[in-house]
Each structure stands twice: as C-alpha cells, then as structure tokens.
Amino acid sequence: VQLQASGGGLAQAGDSLRLSCTASRSIFRLYTMNWYRQAPGRQRDLVATLTSGGSTNYADSVKGRFTISRDNAKNTFYLQMNSLKPEDTAVYYCNARRRTDNSLYNYWGQGTQVTVSS
C-alpha cells in the first residue's frame, strides 16, 4: 500500500487547511487510518484516528478543531483543520495500520508541511 499526502502549506492563525491522503488501493474496510505530526525537535505525535468501523479519536490539543474523515470511493482520507494555531506547525504524516493475529501492516505517507503564523 502506498499513501500520498497533500494539502499542507502556509496559513495564518485562525485559518483552515484540509490535508488529504490517498491510498493506492482500497483499504479502509480493514485498516485504521491515522494522522500524525512532528514538530522540529519533537517526537511524532498521534493527532487523529479513524477506525475501519468509523470511530474517531483525537488528541486533546486538536479536539473540536480538527476532523478526520474518509471518502471510500476515492480511497482518500482527510484531516480538516480549523482554527489553526501556531503550535499546529509541523510535518503531518498519514498512516494506515492493520493488526492481525500474526502480523502488523503499517504504512506511511511522505509527510506534508503545515506552517501556521501568528
């Protein structure tokens, strides 16, 4: 599975951006989709999760501002980011993960930079 992330860029505080991640094949039925971010000098942190069953979860820092969703027909999932803050500045990575009894399938997109100015 290959993941292609897009949609990052420059924004001002309070603006909105939407990130997209397109998978090379249909995987949403089996995989959990995640967005992570990594700011300079910091570890990569989980931002949002969307399970194959449609459940979502968010980091406390983005709750109420970010929304993860998917379009099954396009093999694409999204991260809608509203009310952006300078502390949201990071490289954002999409991730698809599936765990079975015997294996872990874990795929990453290439990362897309989001820079938010005050």
Side-chain angles (χ1 to χ4, degrees):
V1 176
Q2 293 182 333
L3 301 178
Q4 181 71 39
S6 62
L10 299 175
Q12 292 189 329
D15 284 353
S16 298
L17 285 175
R18 189 178 77 161
L19 306 183
S20 300
C21 184
T22 299
S24 56
R25 61 181 177 87
S26 177
I27 59 172
F28 295 157
R29 186 174 61 87
L30 296 175
Y31 282 73
T32 292
M33 318 306 293
N34 305 293
W35 286 98
Y36 286 77
R37 67 185 181 188
Q38 187 168 20
R42 301 193 64 177
Q43 67 180 18
R44 191 173 296 188
D45 293 325
L46 180 62
V47 174
T49 294
L50 175 59
T51 70
S52 57
S55 299
T56 59
N57 197 31
Y58 299 93
D60 288 342
S61 59
V62 306
K63 278 182 182 177
R65 300 189 298 122
F66 290 13
T67 302
I68 188 171
S69 63
R70 70 191 184 207
D71 185 331
N72 294 338
K74 295 181 178 180
N75 293 337
T76 301
F77 67 106
Y78 306 96
L79 186 67
Q80 178 67 44
M81 306 185 293
N82 299 331
S83 302
L84 283 163
K85 302 176 180 180
E87 50 264 43
D88 295 320
T89 295
V91 178
Y92 284 72
Y93 297 90
C94 57
N95 167 264
R97 184 174 300 127
R98 178 191 177 200
R99 191 183 301 274
T100 67
D101 288 342
N102 300 311
S103 301
L104 174 65
Y105 303 89
N106 197 33
Y107 303 101
W108 292 92
Q110 81 282 12
T112 184
Q113 176 72 46
V114 172
T115 303
V116 183
S117 61
S118 57

